[in-house]
Amino acid sequence: MGSVAGKITSETPKYTLQKETDVYEIRKYAKGVAVETIDGPNKDDNDSAFKSLAKYIGVFGEAQNQQKQKIAMTAPVVNREDGKQVRFMQFLLPSKFTIDTAPIPQSDNVKLIEVPERMLAVHRFSGVCDDAMAKGKLEVLIEALKKDKIAFDKSYWRLYRYNPPWTIGSLRTNEVVVPLVDFNSSSPAKEE
């Protein structure tokens, strides 16, 4: 997943760059598969969610999936809310997997999720990111999108974290992302 120096060596999701500004990029991502579990509001919950997903891919020994298949760690780790204040954590699976070929989780708390093709506005930043920082960076992204009259769905925002916790804080790569509504790279959609 990375190093102390912040180099990202894990597989990351494939995308095509549609637009780039000083504040954000617009990226079109291919569909994929994630494994997901419920996360909580405090650090202990976050650690528990991470461990559940790490066990599924086999980080702590035998993989806790029905096939006992070890799976390579990818980046980013995704954090999201469902709009009802329930928080989730996801690991995106390597691109070789589909929803039909991904190993089935053993734990009832871990679910496979098909991730559709999507168009996302992405704001990249560095640092040790907590909820307050992520929400502040989300506001930076939203203001830039509004200024450019690009429609988005704020209710579906995500935090992407690319580095392990031992990476030096200033070298960590993070992103906040929101899906776009009817984006056309030649002409921005109207503001929501």
Side-chain angles (χ1 to χ4, degrees), residues 81-116:
E81 290 183 2
D82 71 351
K84 300 175 194 154
Q85 302 305 314
V86 177
R87 296 163 48 113
F88 295 87
M89 181 180 284
Q90 294 178 345
F91 285 3
L92 301 171
L93 296 185
S95 59
K96 69 180 181 179
F97 290 109
T98 67
I99 196 71
D100 297 320
T101 62
I104 298 166
Q106 288 180 326
S107 170
D108 291 338
N109 296 328
V110 175
K111 308 277 186 232
L112 289 173
I113 305 293
E114 190 164 31
V115 181

Side-chain angles (χ1 to χ4, degrees), residues 9-22:
T9 57
S10 301
E11 180 181 343
T12 59
K14 305 297 179 242
Y15 64 85
T16 55
L17 184 63
Q18 306 291 306
K19 178 178 179 172
E20 185 174 13
T21 74
D22 290 342

Side-chain angles (χ1 to χ4, degrees), residues 33-156:
V33 179
V35 61
E36 177 177 86
T37 192
I38 292 177
D39 191 2
N42 61 50
K43 185 179 181 333
D44 290 339
D45 295 330
N46 193 274
D47 290 346
S48 176
F50 186 90
K51 286 177 184 172
S52 293
L53 298 176
K55 287 176 183 177
Y56 165 82
I57 66 172
V59 170
F60 302 117
E62 183 176 85
Q64 291 186 7
N65 58 63
Q66 289 182 5
Q67 294 82 346
K68 308 285 187 220
Q69 181 179 354
K70 283 207 177 246
I71 301 168
M73 184 72 189
T74 63
V77 172
V78 179
N79 295 96
R80 72 176 185 89
E81 290 183 2
D82 71 351
K84 300 175 194 154
Q85 302 305 314
V86 177
R87 296 163 48 113
F88 295 87
M89 181 180 284
Q90 294 178 345
F91 285 3
L92 301 171
L93 296 185
S95 59
K96 69 180 181 179
F97 290 109
T98 67
I99 196 71
D100 297 320
T101 62
I104 298 166
Q106 288 180 326
S107 170
D108 291 338
N109 296 328
V110 175
K111 308 277 186 232
L112 289 173
I113 305 293
E114 190 164 31
V115 181
E117 180 180 79
R118 59 225 179 268
M119 189 78 73
L120 301 176
V122 179
H123 175 64
R124 180 173 278 200
F125 58 98
S126 61
V128 177
C129 184
D130 60 12
D131 284 349
M133 177 186 254
K135 289 178 180 174
K137 296 298 184 178
L138 176 63
E139 289 307 313
V140 169
L141 175 59
I142 286 170
E143 288 307 311
L145 293 172
K146 285 180 177 179
K147 179 178 172 258
D148 291 345
K149 297 183 175 26
I150 296 176
F152 57 91
D153 181 359
K154 179 182 174 182
S155 66
Y156 193 80

